[in-house]
Every structure is written in C-alpha cells, then in structure tokens.
Amino acid sequence: MADDEQGVYPRINGEMLRRGEPKDRIVSLVGRVENFDGQTISLKTGSDDSIVSVEMAEGVQFDLPVQSDVELMGLVQGPGAFSLFVARPLGKGLDLELYNRTLTELLQNPKYVQYF
C-alpha cells in the first residue's frame, strides 16, 4: 500500500479489469473515451479494442471530450467494476495497442519488473 500513498498506482488494461484484478486497489487505466452519459464513461482500451464501463465516484467531475485519450485512476471493485476518482487528459492519437503491448510484455513481465 505504500505505493498508493505516494500516488503510484499499478497499471491495468481492460482484460485485467474484466477479471477484477487487482480487486480493492487503486489503479491506472488508459484508454479512449467512446461515450460519456454524465455518469458512465465507455472507455476503449488497447486489449482487443474492448470497451469497459467506468462509473463516476460520488462528487467526481469529468469534462473530457469523446475521442480523447485519458488516464483514469480509480478503484477496482470487482470484475468489470471500476470507480473513477481522477482523470488525466493524454490528448488524441495515443497508440492504444502499443500501450497495451508495453503493459503486458514489459511492465508485467517478471524479467523486467525491477525496472518499473
């Protein structure tokens, strides 16, 4: 938990979120906003172009436009359940597939864990 207190959070992708990993942890999720209805963000992630639903935590404001790339920090509450706390804009044109490959092939690879 020391990492969480310092604002450093594990990075996950849509596949990991669908599995509910890591449950009850604050994480970072990167993707492209496909839709926002005022309460739920539909976010396209780099894992198989999947769309995940992100619920707004109470009192959280979200004003980033559709088709913008974002980093979302929030709590994984279970399989497919993510509660948003903070959103950071990343602009447009992020290569989501490359980001996902970096996440799965480098950041989660035991061979490289000492570097991240």
Side-chain angles (χ1 to χ4, degrees), residues 1-108:
M1 265 326 214
D3 286 342
D4 291 351
E5 294 167 5
Q6 297 174 18
V8 179
Y9 308 107
R11 295 183 178 277
I12 67 168
N13 60 19
E15 181 181 334
M16 295 168 71
L17 179 61
R18 282 191 299 281
R19 291 192 310 253
E21 298 173 3
K23 189 174 185 316
D24 298 327
R25 290 279 317 265
I26 297 174
V27 299
S28 167
L29 178 65
V30 169
R32 183 165 297 125
V33 178
E34 293 293 312
N35 190 35
F36 177 57
D37 66 8
Q39 183 58 33
T40 303
I41 301 166
S42 295
L43 189 75
K44 179 179 181 178
T45 68
S47 38
D48 301 327
D49 288 330
S50 64
I51 304 288
V52 297
S53 294
V54 174
E55 298 294 323
M56 307 295 287
E58 189 172 326
V60 173
Q61 299 293 318
F62 184 83
D63 59 359
L64 299 172
V66 170
Q67 295 302 309
S68 63
D69 298 325
V70 295
E71 178 182 22
L72 306 179
M73 276 67 68
L75 181 68
V76 176
Q77 298 174 312
F82 184 91
S83 181
L84 175 67
F85 299 150
V86 176
R88 293 184 184 147
L90 298 176
K92 290 188 177 186
L94 179 69
D95 187 333
L96 294 176
E97 182 180 336
L98 179 60
Y99 176 83
N100 188 61
R101 285 184 44 220
T102 301
L103 182 67
T104 57
E105 294 176 19
L106 291 177
L107 297 179
Q108 296 174 352

Side-chain angles (χ1 to χ4, degrees), residues 103-116:
L103 182 67
T104 57
E105 294 176 19
L106 291 177
L107 297 179
Q108 296 174 352
N109 186 327
K111 182 177 178 180
Y112 304 112
V113 74
Q114 66 184 349
Y115 301 110
F116 298 101

